[in-house]
C-alpha cells in the first residue's frame, strides 16, 4: 500500500482512486471506506485505514 501513501501525501485523489481499484474485493469495507474518504480529502483517516490494513495483514 505504499502507492496509497504516496497518493495521499501528494493529495492526488485520482491516484488514490486508481490504487483503491487494485485492492482485492475481499477487503470490501476498506474499498468502500476509502472510496468515500478520498473525494472528501480525509487524508488522515485514509492513512489510519491503511495502517489498520497493514497491521491486519
Amino acid at each position: 500500500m505504499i502507492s496509497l501513501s504516496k497518493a495521499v501525501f501528494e493529495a492526488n485523489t485520482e491516484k488514490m482512486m486508481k490504487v483503491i481499484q487494485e485492492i482485492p474485493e475481499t477487503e470490501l469495507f476498506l474499498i468502500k471506506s476509502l472510496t468515500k474518504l478520498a473525494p472528501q480529502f480525509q487524508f488522515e483517516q485514509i492513512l489510519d485505514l491503511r495502517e489498520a490494513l497493514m497491521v491486519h495483514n
Side-chain angles (χ1 to χ4, degrees), residues 1-9 15-16 18-31 34 46-57:
M1 286 262 186
I2 296 170
S3 300
L4 181 61
S5 297
K6 184 176 180 184
V8 169
F9 289 121
K15 281 186 183 179
M16 280 188 272
K18 287 181 182 179
V19 172
I20 291 167
Q21 291 175 348
E22 297 175 8
I23 298 172
E25 289 183 20
T26 56
E27 300 293 340
L28 189 57
F29 174 78
L30 179 63
I31 293 168
L34 291 173
I46 292 169
L47 292 176
D48 289 345
L49 283 172
R50 182 192 61 87
E51 287 294 322
L53 179 63
M54 291 176 71
V55 169
H56 176 63
N57 289 331

